[in-house]
Amino acid sequence: MTVWFVPRDSAARSVGADEVAAALTAQGHSVVRTGSRGMLWMEPLVECLDDDGARIGWRNVRTADVTADGVNASFVGVVEDLDFLARQDRWIFQRVGITDPVDPEDYLAHGGMAGLRTALAMSPAEVVETVVESGLRGRGGAGFPAGIKWRTVAQTPARAHTGDPANAPVHKYICINADEGDSGTFADRMVMEGDPFELLEGMAIAAYAVGADRGIVYLRSEYPDAIATLNQAIEVARANGWLGTAILGSELAFDVEVRVGAGSYVCGEETAMLESIEGRRGMVRVKPPLPAIEGLFGTPTVINNVLTMASVPSILARGAAAYAALGTEKSQGTQVFQLAGNIAQGGIVECAFGISARELVFDFGAGTRSGRPVRAVQIGGPLGAYLPADKLDVAMGYETLAEAGGMIGHGGLVVFDDTVDMAAQARFAMEFCAEESCGKCTPCRIGSVRGVEVIDRIRQGEDAEANGELLRDLCEVMTDGSLCAMGGLTPMPVLSALDNFPEDFAPSTGRG
Amino acid sequence: MTITSPAFAAWSLEEARVIIAPIANEPGPVLLCLQAVQERFGYVPADAVQLIAETCNVSRADVHGVLTFYADLRTTPPPPVPVRLCAAEACQAVGGRELKREWEARCSQSPDLAEATGGDEPVFCLGNCALAPAATVGGALMGRATAAALESRVRSILGETS
């Protein structure tokens, strides 16, 4: 009997994957639910094995296309030979879309646990140095070298929770920031829904390396499928000796729990996240102390993004040198780019740093979904810059994008066609900041409200020149005076819109 | 007529006490308690604030502060089939703003639709940015959403539950 592979990823489900899976079952077919390949414009993409054992697929399958003989929809051939996939170099996403995300046998059969086994054969310090040598940097946006952070936590003694009695048990934490709130990003979600064991394996490696006993994944409430899948994976991992005591028969004891967010963007900022996990308002903390020294409940804490931690098992399994050889001098390894917004072929592109934004948008993404010319691409989330179509040759990397006046953020690219009103986008950036500011510092809390007002005055033609100057002044105060990236980077989309698309701010030609 | 969601239990102080008792011993329990109450009853009534404050040994102001900080937490019962439209950039790029206007127009034409869905509660990013505009209807994610598809989904859920 043919086995059919149908994604259970929430993006695939949002366009009917569940119904297709049910139709296949109703016709007597056997169905395995997998993650998504990340070619989201093809979803639901349904696959089966051909006579040679290769996975072949049909795209945009509807329930009406399902028959007792199989699927009668647009055939795409061997899925891994599709240009979009064949041109990628998948490390983090190596199993996503291929395996059943909560089947431990499938995980092992596709290379799972090789990283943790390698790590356990080394000393903890050697594991830390391997991560340092790999050049892995934080994929949440800040780009801090992961290995250096681990080294600090490894060298800091475990401590009791703040407020606990002196003889209370001491801890270190591995904390995963899965509060993926940036518009245009969904890679964390797809890893947690498509290969959650990889994240858990990375966390166990980190726990071994730094001497941590507890792990927490702070996962946003907007991702109910990811919450359910990760919780299920944690249960399976415990049952298989991948979490808990004596992990893989070693002396490592480490367990993980999921903490669900509550609809606050700023809780993606690491110190606000710690406050939220501690049950309080998500107010940003002043640094120092660094979380690596005094983090969750006052204990030394590794805080890494999902993609950072999910990179670790492959780095251990395949070697730091192989990873570091990819990318550019200062941006090593692979990045998971996410193509979103007005894009014909939206989805996941994991490849080495250094690829240009133009290649991503046009070669992989095939331009806009509307068929109109690309006018702007916002790179790196709501706090990232809007680049015009003629500046897309920039190489994707931490430093190269910074030099171009932008930032790589969490690797999202949101494409806009020529109907976009860039003054409205600039206004939205301020509005979003006003909505989501934690309120602790004045430049962010009040500056964002004033920003909306000033942009409104400019768009209405009210003393445009003086108000333009005022807006720049305000942006400078927010950039230099805010406590965290929320207020500090909101000026980036605003000023990039103003600098690259000044014509949209003129009231006579404004498009809004 | 007020339609209430069948997914949640009617508020009960006694039941709330039972629900939060084990959580109150966790480190940093206040947000967990609020989330647990909302998961069971659909919202956090004023009585729950007092209860959580007493159980966790913090002030009512502390609990109120947490309750009002987070967009997810609500102090009134939710509509039966909440509709949430993504208001963020990737969805704006493919007509998110227009979808919101169209949806609001439908809700103002059909008061029963507005009452059943609560109109629209905006959300910033549902992680479905390659299949935008994204929305949720009764918690289920919808890609490439249109106002017609939203209404049809809402009506089919209402038909199933009535």
Side-chain angles (χ1 to χ4, degrees):
Chain A
M1 189 172 58
T2 315
V3 175
W4 294 86
F5 301 93
V6 182
R8 53 182 271 175
D9 180 274
S10 54
R13 294 181 65 216
S14 83
V15 288
D18 282 355
E19 290 77 3
V20 170
L24 281 161
T25 308
Q27 292 282 358
H29 298 292
S30 171
V31 173
V32 172
R33 302 300 295 267
T34 63
S36 165
R37 296 277 193 170
M39 300 183 290
L40 295 171
W41 78 99
M42 290 193 185
E43 296 294 356
L45 174 66
V46 171
E47 302 176 21
C48 72
L49 296 174
D50 71 5
D51 295 340
D52 303 323
R55 293 264 287 258
I56 51 175
W58 290 261
R59 54 176 285 182
N60 303 114
V61 178
R62 297 160 305 166
T63 50
D65 302 329
V66 175
T67 69
D69 300 327
V71 167
N72 188 16
S74 181
F75 181 62
V76 300
V78 175
V79 176
E80 268 157 34
D81 293 345
L82 289 169
D83 203 37
F84 191 88
L85 280 183
R87 295 173 58 197
Q88 300 191 31
D89 187 4
R90 289 192 161 188
W91 287 57
I92 299 170
F93 272 73
Q94 58 182 324
R95 281 175 295 265
V96 178
I98 297 171
T99 56
D100 175 344
V102 291
D103 181 346
E105 299 302 323
D106 223 0
Y107 187 63
L108 292 174
H110 288 84
M113 288 295 149
L116 181 54
R117 282 183 216 283
T118 307
L120 292 172
M122 303 162 88
S123 73
E126 284 168 346
V127 177
V128 170
E129 293 317 307
T130 301
V131 176
V132 173
E133 285 160 22
S134 75
L136 178 65
R137 296 172 64 174
R139 300 289 188 249
F144 190 81
I148 305 293
K149 197 185 271 185
W150 288 23
R151 196 189 277 159
T152 306
V153 176
Q155 290 168 353
T156 308
R159 207 177 293 129
H161 285 185
T162 307
D164 274 5
N167 60 351
V170 295
H171 304 287
K172 289 185 192 180
Y173 278 87
I174 306 295
C175 216
I176 298 300
N177 187 341
D179 194 43
E180 188 180 50
D182 287 359
S183 175
T185 65
F186 42 86
D188 292 355
R189 178 185 65 66
M190 290 188 63
V191 167
M192 292 184 288
E193 292 181 12
D195 197 12
F197 293 135
E198 183 176 55
L199 175 62
L200 298 175
E201 184 183 346
M203 292 176 76
I205 294 168
Y208 176 71
V210 306
D213 58 325
R214 289 185 176 182
I216 285 185
V217 180
Y218 185 81
L219 217 174
R220 63 199 299 259
S221 62
E222 291 84 351
Y223 286 180
D225 285 15
I227 295 166
T229 307
L230 188 58
N231 272 319
Q232 198 186 344
I234 289 170
E235 294 293 328
V236 174
R238 285 177 187 146
N240 281 273
W242 298 348
L243 288 177
T245 52
I247 291 173
L248 292 182
S250 73
E251 286 174 18
L252 177 61
F254 175 69
D255 209 348
V256 174
E257 73 170 294
V258 174
R259 286 288 184 104
V260 178
S264 162
Y265 176 79
V266 78
C267 288
E269 196 283 332
E270 62 176 8
T271 63
M273 180 187 75
L274 295 177
E275 288 291 306
S276 185
I277 298 171
E278 294 183 19
R280 289 188 289 270
R281 295 164 69 90
M283 305 283 278
V284 171
R285 291 180 187 171
V286 180
K287 289 191 272 195
L290 293 171
I293 292 167
E294 219 173 289
L296 189 61
F297 301 113
T299 70
T301 305
V302 169
I303 303 176
N304 283 146
N305 173 260
V306 172
L307 297 181
T308 315
M309 196 59 94
S311 303
V312 169
S314 298
I315 288 171
L316 267 295
R318 296 163 70 175
Y323 191 78
L326 300 171
T328 63
E329 192 193 336
K330 287 181 173 163
S331 301
Q332 290 163 300
T334 65
Q335 169 68 298
V336 180
F337 300 103
Q338 299 131 81
L339 307 182
N342 196 335
I343 185 111
Q345 300 186 164
I348 293 288
V349 179
E350 182 178 359
C351 63
F353 283 101
I355 188 174
S356 74
R358 187 176 301 285
E359 285 173 271
L360 288 167
V361 171
F362 291 98
D363 296 353
F364 283 94
T368 61
R369 194 202 296 173
S370 62
R372 302 184 66 93
V374 171
R375 181 149 187 258
V377 179
Q378 188 179 28
I379 301 178
L383 307 176
Y386 285 100
L387 296 186
D390 62 1
K391 288 189 182 165
L392 295 180
D393 291 310
V394 58
M396 300 295 283
Y398 293 97
E399 276 73 19
T400 42
L401 266 170
E403 282 159 19
M407 64 161 190
I408 197 158
H410 188 47
L413 289 85
V414 177
V415 178
F416 293 80
D417 72 12
D418 62 349
T419 61
V420 65
D421 172 1
M422 292 307 300
Q425 295 310 118
R427 184 187 193 278
F428 176 77
M430 286 291 191
E431 207 185 341
F432 180 68
C433 182
E435 187 66 36
E436 295 294 334
S437 173
C438 83
K440 186 155 181 165
C441 71
T442 314
C444 175
R445 182 183 70 246
I446 298 184
S448 53
V449 177
R450 294 289 169 262
V452 172
E453 294 166 0
V454 175
I455 293 172
D456 280 346
R457 286 202 287 272
I458 295 171
R459 295 175 81 196
Q460 286 153 15
E462 194 183 315
D463 214 352
E465 200 170 323
N467 275 313
E469 209 169 305
L470 189 62
L471 180 60
R472 288 185 185 279
D473 198 38
L474 176 66
C475 283
E476 191 182 326
V477 171
M478 289 176 72
T479 304
D480 296 342
S482 298
L483 262 178
C484 81
M486 177 90 238
L489 290 174
T490 291
M492 192 178 276
V494 175
L495 292 178
S496 62
L498 193 61
D499 290 337
N500 292 315
F501 308 93
E503 62 276 20
D504 285 20
F505 290 79
S508 52
T509 57
R511 292 151 186 254
Chain B
M1 181 184 69
T2 306
I3 314 168
T4 51
S5 169
F8 300 108
W11 166 247
S12 149
L13 187 64
E14 278 318 302
E15 198 186 338
R17 203 185 300 276
V18 173
I19 288 169
I20 67 170
I23 303 168
N25 299 320
E26 295 275 326
V30 175
L31 178 56
L32 288 174
C33 289
L34 288 164
Q35 288 173 316
V37 166
Q38 178 155 312
E39 193 178 325
R40 181 69 180 136
F41 305 107
Y43 71 112
V44 182
D47 286 355
V49 173
Q50 174 76 34
L51 173 69
I52 292 168
E54 283 168 9
T55 316
C56 299
N57 197 25
V58 295
S59 73
R60 267 193 309 146
D62 282 333
V63 180
H64 180 78
V66 176
L67 173 59
T68 49
F69 182 85
Y70 293 98
D72 280 359
L73 298 175
R74 47 187 310 147
T75 54
T76 54
V81 188
V83 168
R84 306 193 74 182
L85 303 182
C86 177
E89 290 88 343
C91 290
Q92 292 169 356
V94 280
R97 291 187 179 95
E98 292 73 14
L99 175 63
K100 182 179 168 63
R101 280 199 291 273
E102 285 166 30
W103 176 247
E104 283 169 352
R106 272 176 196 253
C107 285
S108 63
Q109 279 159 17
S110 312
D112 65 321
L113 199 61
E115 189 168 8
T117 62
D120 157 41
E121 209 177 316
V123 55
F124 293 117
C125 197
L126 295 162
N128 200 18
C129 320
L131 297 173
T136 59
V137 179
L141 187 61
M142 183 188 279
R144 290 182 180 151
T146 62
L150 289 170
E151 177 164 1
S152 138
R153 180 78 63 87
V154 171
R155 297 216 181 271
S156 96
I157 295 172
L158 288 174
E160 281 165 19
T161 56
S162 64

